Amino acid sequence: MERFLKEAKDGSRVLSTISGSKKNSILREMADELRVQSKEIVKANALDMIDADKNDLSSALKDRLLLDDSRVEAMAVAIEEIAALKEPVGRVLDGWITEEGLKIEKTSIPIGVIGIIYESRPNVTSDTAALCFKSSNVCVLKGGKEAQHSNKAIAKVLQSVLAKNNLPTALISLLEDSSREGVAKLIKMDKYVDLIVPRGGAGLIKYVSENATVSVVKHDKGQCHIYIDKDAKLDNAIAIAINAKTQRPGVCNAMETLLVDSAIAKDALPKIKAEFDKAKTELRACARTRAIIDAKEATEEDFDTEYLANILNIKVVDGVDGAIEHIVRFGSGHSESIISENITTAEKFLGAIDSAVVYVNASTRFTDGGSFGFGAEVGISTNKLHARGPMGIEGLTTYKFKIYGSGQTR
């Protein structure tokens, strides 16, 4: 692994010399080659899907793992969108002249070598590789064994384009070792790796955060909430809640808990249940909710669980203060939403909830790099330092100070 990572580190110096226009041209070639090799990628994915059946993976994980022609096309489009973004490296972020006549420029630069540890979703391979390449970073990809055939096929396509352009294939590196031991080694290689971004379950995030000697940007669990206030338009609120839970339950920005204002609970809950019954959503609820509608009992553990499945917690709370109290206790800092026509109440919610993304009258499903105009994202950062929320190319840069003098001494 050390030799492998040294090659990646050496490649970062090569990448720093490539112009923005050349990078964009190569990215467009990568998108075209994904389309050309779509059948081969889908064929490789079929092997992973067979293993998924053998290993009895959940339906949510299978959905995240599955590739077909339309999903490969979406991967290609995402790369083209990344190519179309403005150049993130070499931008003068700020500048000034000191009293001594020193001209100071704060300039954006790549981070260097970024390790991405992820599970299930093979599109992460192309998304993160493209984002890193666009921002002049070398990426070291550590995918899960459940997607090993798909990841190899995608990485092979991207590396073939690098080779055609006489660039080291190590600029996009895929670690062959998909074991937990491989993760343990990678996260301590701070001599060669500058940043680790773990994307996966709570266990992976906890392990990496507690054991890494490399800096970590966490993509924590998506314990997302929607609060329906007494001043909400109920039909609108229910439509948003249905979208947030059922449109794609197996993703991190799907709602896991619906909070309902006690002032409207008797009227709202039967209507909410009727719509979720149509979607075949399993409902788990607090005692106050179960006094109004039929649902399984929700435990403290349920309210702290990211289901990634068509299961929803419902809790009746006493106004916006009750909603805030619940989210402060159980939220993971990902995405929360309030449905209300009362501007004062909405602003109180926005101010009090310290999550990466906070919505008014919209679904949490929009927490996504593409929806934010980033083209794609490396992950949804729940960190407070460096990057937060959908982490696109801006989050993959740091900066240095360039100082121009004319003989000044201190």
Side-chain angles (χ1 to χ4, degrees):
M1 182 179 285
E2 187 166 356
R3 186 180 70 251
F4 180 90
L5 293 176
K6 185 179 185 302
E7 289 180 8
K9 188 73 171 178
D10 291 342
S12 65
R13 288 189 288 275
V14 176
L15 189 49
S16 66
T17 66
I18 303 173
S19 68
S21 59
K22 181 62 175 176
K23 288 189 295 183
N24 294 338
S25 174
I26 291 170
L27 285 168
R28 288 190 288 269
E29 286 183 47
M30 288 178 178
D32 290 340
E33 193 62 20
L34 281 176
R35 293 186 176 102
V36 170
Q37 299 296 333
S38 180
K39 292 289 187 290
E40 292 302 313
I41 293 170
V42 171
K43 190 185 297 183
N45 180 253
L47 298 176
D48 290 325
M49 296 304 295
I50 290 170
D51 289 340
D53 288 332
K54 289 180 181 177
N55 295 320
D56 199 28
L57 293 189
S58 69
S59 58
L61 285 177
K62 288 179 184 177
D63 175 61
R64 298 172 84 169
L65 178 60
L66 176 66
L67 290 178
D68 54 23
D69 288 338
S70 65
R71 288 192 175 182
V72 175
E73 171 63 21
M75 289 159 52
V77 169
I79 291 180
E80 289 172 336
E81 290 174 345
I82 291 167
L85 296 172
K86 65 182 179 182
E87 175 59 36
V89 175
R91 293 167 53 208
V92 178
L93 306 173
D94 201 355
W96 62 95
I97 298 175
T98 69
E99 290 181 3
E100 295 84 0
L102 294 173
K103 181 185 175 184
I104 298 178
E105 290 183 354
K106 182 180 178 181
T107 307
S108 63
I109 62 169
I111 290 171
V113 178
I114 300 178
I116 317 290
I117 304 172
Y118 57 105
E119 300 170 341
S120 303
R121 293 172 60 180
N123 67 292
V124 173
T125 303
S126 60
D127 285 355
T128 55
L131 284 165
C132 287
F133 188 79
K134 173 76 176 187
S135 54
S136 297
N137 291 290
V138 172
C139 67
V140 176
L141 303 168
K142 169 69 179 65
K145 61 182 179 181
E146 68 281 351
Q148 59 183 329
H149 297 99
S150 306
N151 291 336
K152 285 180 183 178
I154 295 165
K156 183 179 178 182
V157 170
L158 304 181
Q159 289 171 337
S160 72
V161 176
L162 292 175
K164 285 178 187 176
N165 285 274
N166 299 312
L167 292 173
T169 56
L171 299 184
I172 297 174
S173 300
L174 180 68
L175 277 176
E176 295 288 336
D177 187 351
S178 59
S179 67
R180 175 58 69 91
E181 291 73 21
V183 172
K185 290 179 184 176
L186 176 62
I187 63 177
K188 293 186 181 296
M189 290 288 184
D190 45 72
K191 182 178 179 180
Y192 304 105
V193 181
D194 299 292
L195 181 69
I196 292 288
V197 182
R199 297 183 56 166
L204 172 67
I205 304 296
K206 186 173 187 292
Y207 177 80
V208 171
S209 299
E210 291 178 353
N211 293 279
T213 57
V214 181
S215 297
V216 176
V217 171
K218 290 190 298 183
H219 175 114
D220 215 339
K221 66 179 180 179
Q223 199 66 24
C224 303
H225 302 76
I226 288 181
Y227 164 62
I228 301 179
D229 183 57
K230 64 182 177 62
D231 294 320
K233 291 180 179 177
L234 188 55
D235 290 345
N236 187 40
I238 293 173
I240 290 171
I242 289 290
N243 173 264
K245 177 74 261 184
T246 69
Q247 191 255 343
R248 198 171 176 194
V251 291
C252 65
N253 56 21
M255 171 181 61
E256 301 293 10
T257 297
L258 179 65
L259 304 172
V260 180
D261 194 335
S262 59
I264 59 168
K266 286 184 180 179
D267 179 49
L269 285 173
K271 296 176 182 178
I272 290 169
K273 176 176 167 55
E275 294 303 312
F276 276 111
D277 283 348
K278 291 178 187 176
K280 296 181 169 54
T281 305
E282 179 185 321
L283 301 180
R284 302 180 184 181
C286 69
R288 295 172 78 181
T289 301
R290 293 172 68 237
I292 300 170
I293 61 171
D294 183 36
K296 291 184 178 180
E297 181 181 0
T299 64
E300 290 285 295
E301 184 179 354
D302 289 330
F303 286 117
D304 198 36
T305 298
E306 183 185 23
Y307 294 118
L308 299 174
N310 196 15
I311 304 171
L312 176 68
N313 301 318
I314 301 179
K315 183 176 181 180
V316 172
V317 294
D318 293 324
V320 68
D321 289 327
I324 291 167
E325 182 182 350
H326 180 93
I327 293 170
V328 167
R329 181 177 178 187
F330 292 104
S332 61
H334 194 293
S335 301
E336 322 294 354
S337 181
I338 178 173
I339 316 301
S340 179
E341 299 301 310
N342 187 312
I343 294 174
T344 302
T345 302
E347 288 297 332
K348 182 175 184 177
F349 185 89
L350 290 175
I353 298 300
D354 187 20
S355 291
V357 186
V358 192
Y359 295 88
V360 176
N361 296 327
S363 170
T364 56
R365 286 283 289 113
F366 285 105
T367 302
D368 173 81
S371 296
F372 278 35
F374 299 161
E377 88 262 339
V378 175
I380 310 296
S381 170
T382 53
N383 278 24
K384 288 190 177 183
L385 298 179
H386 176 62
R388 203 175 193 203
M391 187 176 170
I393 54 172
E394 299 295 333
L396 294 176
T397 62
T398 183
Y399 56 84
K400 66 181 176 185
F401 294 97
K402 294 181 178 179
I403 302 178
Y404 300 86
S406 55
Q408 289 89 337
T409 61
R410 182 175 180 179

